Amino acid sequence: MREATHTWAGELARYCRIQLGVAWHQRGTRRGFIGTLLIAVGSLSPAFLPRSSPFWALFAHAQSLATSPIVRLVGTGLAMAGALLLVDAWLRLRPQDPDGVSSPDSVAAERAGVKHWAVLVIWSLPFLAAPPIFSHDAYAYAAQGWLAHNQINPYDVGPGFLPGAYADQVDWVWRMSPAPYGPLSLQISHLLVNATGGYPYLTAWAERVPALIGVLMIGLLLPRVARRAGADVRFTTWFAMLNPMLVISFVGGAHNDALMMGFVLLALWFAFWPGPARWPALSGWWWLVGALAIGVGAAVKQPAILTAYALPLIVRPWASWHRRDVLITAGRAVLSFAVAVGSFALVTLASGLGYGWIHSIGVPGRNMTVAPTTMLGSGLAWVLDRVNPAVSHHFLVTDFQTVGTIIGAVIIAVLAVTVARRKPLTFLSFGYLAAAIAGPSLRTWYVQWCVTLAPLADMRARMVRIAVWGTLVMLGFDAVQMAWRNSAVAVGAVAMGVCAGIAWTRDRQHRRGLRPSVPASAGSPA
């Protein structure tokens, strides 16, 4: 048995080495690797590193470097150059899509049989040794785990309640804010605190472990779900797995959304799975196991619960408005939510942290983002404050956010009784997009919920172009925010202009069809 296991492991390692070698020999793969490497090096700048970061000890004059314009400009320039190379590499590897056109680099990659998972591994390597990228959230996760380690409930107080190295790493905006995440996410951070011996930076860096587990789940399950859903596997894995937002936010940023989406894909896989032949009576009911997985995913981050509605509709579509059909569909939906909520409750009970996240769920909306309702409310409040400085109009921000949340809920409800009836995966993609855009806080990794599932929806050529440009807009926001934190907004603005030019050029090449598409048999899917 041991010899058989050793042989199997050896064959797997050999297969991985071969596929990584094939991927590395493609120009697009190397270009993307250089991009992530430059981003990783550029992350060693004040925009990414807290003042308490041990990286400053690597420099001879830490304090002067922390405020040096040269360091800020160089760090921003490297990160922007890396982001441009990564975006260009992604667009160059774009396979055949609804336009029926493939780029030259994609043709070469398909002929060589390049696996998208191998490209993702190569692109991710530089981030594994880098501090958290384009976000300080991983430091907040670590500090919340430190609170739990000291038997303080992170739902009751913010990291600043326990002064020290962990709290010092957290951005001052969130230092006194309680945790809005699910209890499993907090206990994972608690486990990482124990595993790293209570070393603050190492704990934050280790937050990549659950994020990478989530990315691994996405990489393994997404092609299989796409195949069963009848979607284009190569296009799905290119758009979702190689998407720069996933590489930067899930791998580089170590966001817990990665693990949440991993459980969402696991649930969808169970919904499509016919089950073993020896248990024919259970065929068509494995979505209930998926509902269990959704409850666990929601314990990481709550938006996963939306998937519970789609699971039974994947197996049995809502065919008509006849009373019997409506009652059956409603009953299965209620059962799905009951199982998901039940497993969520069990995880919560085991965590011992309770449901305090209900009171802090609005925490992400306290900081300015590009969320439409937050921007509208803030803009109107700013104008009225100039007209009547004696009265504060900040309440308008909260009012607009509340209205936006209601609008988002209405949109999801309408999608649930229209699109979801026959296209549950399209409902999920659009539903997560509505939740992200209409919410009080809009982040790149929130949009990634939709991006991960979008290729499983019925995407037309125009929708693909909109999705690609939407990806670039969100990356642009992150890049400009990073440049602003480094006092180098001009560098970020120029980089985004260049990025738009690259995207425009690649899109025109795609639409003109510079190369004929390659038959599906030319390369195996991811």
Side-chain angles (χ1 to χ4, degrees), residues 105-364:
D105 284 340
S106 177
V107 169
E110 290 192 36
R111 284 175 176 167
V114 172
K115 309 292 186 182
H116 285 156
W117 66 260
V119 178
L120 177 61
V121 168
I122 292 172
W123 287 2
S124 300
L125 288 177
F127 286 159
L128 300 185
I133 304 294
F134 280 85
S135 170
H136 282 199
D137 281 13
Y139 298 112
Y141 301 163
Q144 289 155 3
W146 178 244
L147 288 175
H149 176 80
N150 287 277
Q151 300 182 346
I152 301 172
N153 195 324
Y155 292 142
D156 295 334
V157 297
F161 180 82
L162 196 62
Y166 275 96
D168 291 344
Q169 290 189 137
V170 182
D171 194 303
W172 66 269
V173 175
W174 312 116
R175 199 165 293 173
M176 300 307 297
S177 300
Y181 310 114
L184 180 57
S185 179
L186 300 180
Q187 289 295 11
I188 289 174
S189 295
H190 182 189
L191 176 64
L192 293 176
V193 169
N194 294 337
T196 57
Y199 188 73
Y201 172 76
L202 192 56
T203 306
W205 177 84
E207 292 290 346
R208 280 207 178 90
V209 174
L212 288 174
I213 292 173
V215 172
L216 177 62
M217 293 171 71
I218 293 171
L220 288 174
L221 297 169
L222 184 60
R224 290 162 173 78
V225 172
R227 191 174 294 111
R228 291 190 178 277
D232 186 313
V233 178
R234 286 202 66 85
F235 178 77
T236 298
T237 53
W238 167 80
F239 184 82
M241 284 171 52
L242 296 187
N243 195 292
M245 288 201 304
L246 181 144
V247 180
I248 292 175
S249 295
F250 283 6
V251 180
H255 290 282
N256 53 17
D257 304 71
L259 186 58
M260 180 196 83
M261 290 308 301
F263 278 106
V264 167
L265 265 300
L266 179 62
L268 295 178
W269 181 79
F270 272 116
F272 280 103
W273 189 43
R278 63 179 179 274
W279 294 342
L282 296 180
S283 179
W285 289 96
W286 289 98
W287 58 270
L288 287 173
V289 181
L292 282 171
I294 286 301
V296 178
V300 175
K301 202 159 188 178
Q302 299 85 338
I305 200 69
L306 180 64
T307 306
Y309 179 75
L311 295 179
L313 294 173
I314 291 173
V315 179
R316 184 187 183 278
W318 182 355
S320 70
W321 285 95
H322 293 149
R323 181 179 178 182
R324 179 176 180 276
D325 200 42
V326 171
L327 289 176
I328 292 175
T329 301
R332 290 163 71 95
V334 169
L335 178 60
S336 181
F337 276 111
V339 172
V341 172
S343 64
F344 176 87
L346 288 175
V347 173
T348 301
L349 181 64
S351 74
L353 296 175
Y355 297 88
W357 57 266
I358 295 174
H359 304 293
S360 55
I361 200 166
V363 165

Side-chain angles (χ1 to χ4, degrees), residues 412-472:
I412 292 173
V414 171
L415 291 172
V417 297
T418 54
V419 175
R421 290 177 55 191
R422 297 183 182 274
K423 297 179 179 179
L425 295 178
T426 303
F427 156 76
L428 271 185
S429 179
F430 288 166
Y432 277 126
L433 182 63
I437 293 179
S441 178
L442 179 58
R443 307 286 183 178
T444 303
W445 43 98
Y446 297 176
V447 178
Q448 188 62 37
W449 308 339
C450 162
V451 169
T452 303
L453 303 176
L456 302 177
D458 188 15
M459 295 185 73
R460 297 291 185 261
R462 181 172 297 178
M463 289 177 61
V464 172
R465 287 194 290 273
I466 292 173
V468 168
W469 279 98
T471 296
L472 300 181

